[in-house]
Amino acid sequence: MTFKKQVFGFLDMLRFKKLVPNRRAALAAGSPEPLPKSYRVNEQARRLHPGVMEVELTAVRPLCPGMQEFTFRRLDADAFPFFRAGQYAALQGNAGGSLVSRPYSIVSSPRQALAGELTFGVADAGFFSGWLNREARPGDRFRMTEPSGEFHYETLRDHRQIVCIAGGAGITPFVSMARSMAEGDEPYEMLLFYGARTREQLAYREELDALREKGLRVVYVLSDEEVPGFEHGFATAKLLEKYTDIREASFFLCGPQAMYDFLDRELAPYALPRKAVRRDASCCGALPAEEPRVFRLTVHIRDRVFSADAAENETLLASMERAGIPAPSKCRAGGCGYCRSKWLGGEFRIAEGRDGRREADRKFGFVHPCVTYPLSDMEIEVPPAE
Amino acid sequence: MPFGVNAFIDKMEEVVPGSRKSMTAFFELCEEVRDAQAYSSSVNGNTDSSYMKEHFPNFIRAGSYSVNEVLGALGMPTAAQDILNAYWCYLGVDCDRMSFLHYGSMVIRYITRDAWMPKMRSHEISLALEERIRELGGEIWYHSPVVNIHADGPGAITGVELSDGTLIPTRHVVANCSPHLVFGGLLEEKAVTEQMVRAANARVFSGRGFSLFLGLNRSAEELGIRSHNYFIYDTADSVRQYDRMRKVDTNHVQATVCLNNAFPGCSPEGTCILYFTTMFMSDDWGNVSDADYFKAKDRVADDMIRVFERETGCKIRGAIEEIAAASPTTYARYCGHPQGVIYGYEAADWDALMSRMMMMREDAQLFPGLRFAGGWAMRSSGYSSAYVSGDLSGRQTVGDLKKEVR
Ligand SMILES: Cc1cc2nc3c(=O)[nH]c(=O)nc-3n(C[C@H](O)[C@H](O)[C@H](O)COP(=O)(O)OP(=O)(O)OC[C@H]3O[C@@H](n4cnc5c(N)ncnc54)[C@H](O)[C@@H]3O)c2cc1C
Ligand code: FES
């Protein structure tokens, strides 16, 4: 071998021997300046992803019958994180003895967040939302998760033309998306179909009409009223065709399940690729049940052990919250993984179509309590809430 | 390039006629490196120098030289060097400053044993390890960042404190994060010595990571993506390339993987997964403002797609069904590493792998009771290195405990 016959010689041995003394000297020659206490990129990570924030409700105003707007400011910082219009944040509070958390689409724009303001539009439906509408007052304090979620425009994936279809309270993410477009932060052209029963049921009409000047196209679709200047009925494919080329648009849908089912049927003949239609995720709730069986749920959080009643028709997360156990959650739809917990024993089932676990998590026994229902007594290990 | 030493040499001879001799010498040298390292591990680093000289003379001879110095000495044609050095970005240091021993031992393992990964990705290994830890009686607490390491003074740890104030008394800590964070913030100030500060300051952060993940709605075959792994550079000169990687705008390097070409079942029929990784060799990314953050990610992602399409001829843009990008900010968020560094300290020049290994014991003396594991530790970054350093530091900590009992 050529190499053996002297490519390197005796000096190479010496050099090798010097590796350690050289390194020792280099380490000792480092600057004695104190090490940095923080780093720019990590600071940005903390600003954009503060985890859980302390917030105060600053204003409540009615939007339409059965729906109010809630405005918050941060107590632990001046600004809310910049986010992607369409995302949600989960609000956590203590409602009637339960520690509850619910995700709400953010209505205000990312620029407003930087200015220190974040708003939700909340319909008076369900346990926590109902409580908010009835009981919450300016000055009340809550905790809020950072903005999260994948329901937002993607420049490299979506058509420039987006068609947003809102049903009722589903208008909320689109108000933020329209504002963000108007503020120059999003490159899309937005056509919004907003369905409600009557004019009176339309929230944010004034704001949306004002946004027309900034390029928003909005079509109100009233099911129970025939009024000039408003479309009547539902957002059928025929109606969509009147305003846009269905095949050249990306769809964003937010509304009740019935609306999704309806639009699925309307759009089916176009055989659009999956990527063309995105739906906002909804919380996984309780199942209807006549006389649900109730099991014992044992919960480990670090070295503490809790116990709760767990009805077979309620998610493990809801049972923990009812019992005041501080379990983490964000999306409550199975997808974000924030509630991910170790399964230790017992039978369970997962809400249909909502098993968002990673394959390895399934293999090694992890569950997402927000979409998991007990079928026997169960034992799980839950990470502490932040 | 194919796997297998002979196949690799043959292929190289085909594309660079006249390279056979130097390539053969290269692999022989790499084998010696590998054997020397196996010997060193088998005696826990306490090598016998006369045994080393006798059995692994070329290991010692080549040991203090860079990749480019050794390949030059072997008389390898430049074109062959360029191809062989394509893997440099795996270790993140240009070939003028990367130790030959480090590169040689990586390349020989890569070429003889192929690249392997768990079907369910690194998450599967992590969970297998965590299950074994539970089986053996260990506990794992997630969502529980350590914010303080309490100590009475240098070398006298008393406990760690979690973000919610929970105190865990201990005299021993194995830290999986960077010495910069430990000596710069976590460890109580009165226990931090000038020596620790100097030693941390002397070291250089390696690349800050940026990755793009695409879920495509057509199969790899339909899109014409035939390889599992692509390296795309601006230049084959790793020194110049490294320099271009300092700035977000001038960096167009990508290491790109189409997982389906290794594991066809990894995504549903008729789809495929493609992911791209690059690194920035400075903190240029820190100039991105919050309001420009999402656009800045899109710009890098857009460039990655453009370069991939240009170099491979595969048109992927229209097939994007899912997309997610992780920037240095994302890595800072999830891993906590300073500036979003993903490869620990640069294993370059005086801080190369071999010198670190030879100083393992001495480094641990910097602060008795505190050891490091993972990408910032003595074995440098990469999965297997991170695991091995954890194994080393874990066993050594058990040794420390046993000594205390005695
Ligand atoms: C995109 C990409 C591709 C890669 N590809 C490869 C490859 O193909 N092959 C290969 O070998 N290597 C690869 N690597 C490198 C490899 O992933 C790393 O070297 C390895 O994961 C390092 O492991 P680690 O445990 O040191 O650090 P990490 O995996 O970063 O883990 C550090 C952990 O410490 C936690 N932590 C930090 N601070 C604290 C604190 N104060 N309290 C509690 N916990 C804390 C973090 O939350 C994190 O979980 C790749 C890396 C990236 C980013
Ligand atoms: S809260 Fe998101 S998966 Fe459970």
Side-chain angles (χ1 to χ4, degrees):
Chain A
M1 179 172 89
T2 47
F3 191 69
K4 277 216 166 97
K5 288 191 225 110
Q6 274 325 315
V7 173
F8 299 101
F10 175 70
L11 277 177
D12 307 324
M13 292 277 190
L14 272 186
R15 275 179 57 127
F16 189 81
K17 279 206 170 139
K18 282 209 174 134
L19 285 178
V20 167
N22 283 347
R23 185 169 181 275
R24 194 180 288 141
L27 289 173
S31 159
E33 284 291 299
L35 292 161
K37 287 273 170 243
S38 68
Y39 299 87
R40 237 178 357 163
V41 170
N42 303 60
E43 294 280 309
Q44 180 175 62
R46 257 185 295 279
R47 281 195 312 277
L48 290 172
H49 303 288
V52 176
M53 307 175 285
E54 305 290 334
V55 300
E56 183 185 84
L57 182 58
T58 57
V60 181
R61 69 166 177 130
L63 291 169
C64 65
M67 189 172 174
Q68 298 190 92
E69 183 183 78
F70 296 80
T71 302
F72 298 86
R73 73 178 179 100
R74 259 181 99 171
L75 295 171
D76 52 0
D78 291 337
F80 284 96
F82 197 75
F83 62 97
R84 278 312 288 258
Q87 289 189 306
Y88 70 87
L91 190 69
Q92 306 174 345
N94 199 319
S98 289
L99 280 173
V100 192
S101 165
R102 287 286 181 280
Y104 297 107
S105 297
I106 303 168
V107 167
S108 45
S109 75
R111 292 277 160 183
Q112 286 172 281
L114 288 184
E117 186 181 288
L118 194 140
T119 58
F120 294 141
V122 181
D124 187 356
F127 176 62
F128 190 59
S129 300
W131 179 88
L132 271 179
N133 270 282
R134 284 189 313 273
E135 312 270 340
R137 301 278 174 271
D140 286 356
R141 293 180 172 199
F142 298 84
R143 292 165 59 104
M144 188 190 281
T145 67
E146 64 193 29
S148 312
E150 261 110 62
F151 189 72
H152 59 73
Y153 183 73
E154 277 292 352
T155 316
L156 301 175
R157 177 195 64 203
D158 298 323
H159 286 285
R160 236 168 90 85
Q161 176 68 60
I162 61 169
V163 175
C164 303
I165 308 181
I171 188 62
T172 48
F174 300 133
V175 177
S176 181
M177 285 171 72
R179 286 174 168 162
S180 190
M181 175 185 71
E183 285 164 0
D185 286 320
E186 296 283 1
Y188 45 72
E189 287 163 15
M190 182 168 172
L191 169 60
L192 170 66
F193 292 87
Y194 181 6
R197 289 210 307 281
T198 62
R199 268 172 305 172
E200 205 205 358
Q201 300 286 330
L202 293 169
Y204 292 108
R205 209 177 118 199
E206 230 172 90
E207 286 85 346
L208 294 170
D209 285 339
L211 283 163
R212 287 178 199 264
E213 278 176 30
K214 301 266 177 69
L216 174 71
R217 291 168 68 207
V218 51
V219 180
Y220 299 110
V221 189
L222 306 176
S223 61
D224 295 8
E225 236 179 13
E226 273 192 72
V227 192
F230 293 76
E231 293 287 353
H232 175 65
F234 294 98
T236 56
K238 197 163 155 233
L239 182 70
L240 300 178
E241 291 270 19
K242 189 170 146 189
Y243 292 91
T244 192
D245 180 348
I246 290 181
R247 287 180 216 281
E248 291 302 315
S250 293
F251 285 81
F252 290 82
L253 319 181
C254 186
Q257 188 58 43
M259 180 187 106
Y260 295 158
D261 295 342
F262 175 80
L263 284 165
D264 275 350
R265 286 192 300 273
E266 290 295 309
L267 294 175
Y270 298 85
L272 297 176
R274 213 180 131 107
K275 63 181 267 184
V277 186
R278 309 195 76 87
R279 295 171 184 76
D280 203 9
S282 54
C283 291
C284 181
L287 302 171
E290 291 277 298
E291 275 177 47
R293 289 176 294 170
V294 176
F295 302 112
R296 189 104 297 251
L297 173 64
T298 306
V299 178
H300 300 257
I301 299 182
R302 292 192 184 146
D303 48 4
R304 295 202 292 164
V305 186
F306 303 83
S307 179
D309 284 337
E312 65 178 326
N313 65 327
E314 272 201 334
T315 65
L316 297 178
L317 178 62
S319 300
M320 288 191 280
E321 289 175 340
R322 195 185 295 287
I325 301 172
S329 74
K330 264 189 192 173
C331 73
R332 306 182 79 90
C336 76
Y338 195 63
C339 63
R340 173 182 180 272
S341 298
K342 174 82 179 156
W343 167 89
L344 298 174
E347 308 280 312
F348 61 87
R349 73 189 150 123
I350 292 170
E352 217 183 301
R354 296 207 188 241
D355 191 353
R357 292 177 298 167
R358 298 178 64 165
E359 218 182 328
D361 277 348
R362 247 173 274 167
K363 172 174 165 183
F364 284 96
F366 286 83
V367 291
H368 293 174
C370 68
V371 291
T372 304
Y373 302 93
L375 290 172
S376 72
D377 288 349
M378 281 192 75
E379 191 167 355
I380 58 176
E381 187 184 310
V382 175
E386 255 176 87
Chain B
M1 296 300 288
F3 285 110
V5 170
N6 291 333
F8 195 97
I9 294 173
D10 289 347
K11 182 80 188 176
M12 190 70 96
E13 180 63 27
E14 191 185 313
V15 287
V16 187
S19 64
R20 183 177 297 281
K21 201 166 139 207
S22 58
M23 284 307 300
T24 309
F26 167 79
F27 278 114
E28 277 170 4
L29 187 54
C30 287
E31 264 161 43
E32 194 174 316
V33 169
R34 188 181 51 188
D35 293 345
Q37 286 174 337
Y39 160 72
S40 169
S41 298
S42 73
V43 295
N44 275 327
N46 302 316
T47 51
D48 177 81
S49 73
S50 52
Y51 185 89
M52 289 286 288
K53 272 185 211 151
E54 188 188 332
H55 290 89
F56 313 113
N58 292 324
F59 171 84
I60 295 173
R61 281 187 194 138
S64 65
Y65 290 92
S66 72
V67 176
N68 280 344
E69 283 167 330
V70 173
L71 300 189
L74 291 172
M76 189 177 290
T78 313
Q81 289 190 32
D82 288 347
I83 295 171
L84 182 63
N85 285 352
Y87 307 102
W88 75 269
C89 69
Y90 270 158
L91 299 181
V93 179
D94 65 75
C95 296
D96 268 6
R97 297 183 305 130
M98 192 182 343
S99 147
F100 173 78
L101 295 188
H102 197 179
Y103 194 63
S105 66
M106 193 266 294
V107 170
I108 186 86
R109 283 179 175 83
Y110 193 70
I111 300 302
T112 55
R113 296 184 191 161
D114 306 359
W116 292 81
M117 67 189 297
K119 277 190 176 166
M120 299 174 202
R121 274 74 103 198
S122 64
H123 193 48
E124 191 178 8
I125 304 192
S126 300
L127 293 187
L129 288 169
E130 86 106 78
E131 183 167 81
R132 184 67 184 140
I133 289 168
R134 288 173 192 272
E135 272 172 20
L136 293 170
E139 277 178 59
I140 293 168
W141 291 2
Y142 292 110
H143 282 214
S144 305
V146 170
V147 292
N148 272 305
I149 302 176
H150 293 291
D152 285 338
I157 289 176
T158 56
V160 299
E161 185 182 334
L162 307 184
S163 58
D164 68 343
T166 304
L167 278 171
I168 304 169
T170 179
R171 289 185 303 278
H172 298 273
V173 170
V174 180
N176 191 46
C177 55
S178 81
H180 264 78
L181 295 185
V182 172
F183 299 137
L186 293 181
L187 186 60
E188 250 181 274
E189 224 164 286
K190 64 177 182 234
V192 177
T193 63
E194 186 180 314
Q195 201 193 357
M196 295 169 203
V197 173
R198 282 183 185 275
N201 271 330
R203 309 184 78 183
V204 177
F205 288 155
S206 68
R208 293 78 170 147
F210 189 106
S211 325
L212 170 67
F213 305 84
L214 297 181
L216 301 174
N217 67 7
R218 295 171 67 194
S219 70
E221 200 177 13
E222 282 175 283
L223 293 166
I225 304 170
R226 304 207 195 294
S227 286
H228 166 247
N229 206 341
Y230 296 85
F231 295 97
I232 303 176
Y233 297 103
D234 298 296
T235 162
D237 178 341
S238 63
V239 179
R240 273 175 52 213
Q241 184 65 72
Y242 182 97
D243 209 46
R244 295 191 65 150
M245 290 167 82
R246 288 180 203 277
K247 291 267 178 236
V248 175
D249 286 353
T250 56
N251 171 31
H252 311 287
V253 171
Q254 55 180 265
T256 302
V257 172
C258 178
L259 192 52
N260 300 70
N261 285 333
F263 174 31
C266 72
S267 71
E269 187 88 19
T271 70
C272 69
I273 301 175
L274 201 60
Y275 44 84
F276 306 66
T277 301
T278 195
M279 289 196 283
F280 306 126
M281 301 305 190
S282 80
D283 293 323
D284 193 27
W285 182 261
N287 293 318
V288 172
S289 71
D290 291 10
D292 190 40
Y293 179 69
F294 300 109
K295 285 185 180 157
K297 286 215 279 191
D298 279 348
R299 282 196 295 273
V300 177
D302 185 56
D303 189 66
M304 286 174 148
I305 294 168
R306 177 185 67 84
V307 170
F308 183 83
E309 289 191 334
R310 184 191 69 201
E311 295 300 319
T312 64
C314 307
K315 298 287 170 238
I316 55 174
R317 213 174 267 275
I320 300 171
E321 181 171 304
E322 294 296 342
I323 176 168
S327 73
T329 313
T330 318
Y331 285 111
R333 172 191 182 193
Y334 284 104
C335 309
H337 303 312
Q339 305 288 28
V341 163
I342 60 171
Y343 270 26
Y345 294 120
E346 270 193 353
D349 301 324
W350 58 264
D351 204 13
L353 184 66
M354 193 63 207
S355 351
R356 288 191 198 185
M357 291 300 291
M358 293 197 294
M359 281 184 73
M360 195 159 73
R361 204 178 307 176
E362 189 173 325
D363 283 349
Q365 285 311 310
L366 198 58
F367 199 109
L370 174 66
R371 291 181 184 277
F372 287 93
W376 298 89
M378 64 303 232
R379 282 295 299 256
S380 89
S381 66
Y383 288 113
S384 49
S385 305
Y387 299 136
V388 168
S389 68
D391 182 47
L392 279 169
S393 289
R395 279 190 289 135
Q396 285 162 346
T397 300
V398 171
D400 296 342
L401 285 165
K402 283 183 181 159
K403 264 184 231 145
E404 270 180 16
V405 173
R406 268 188 243 126

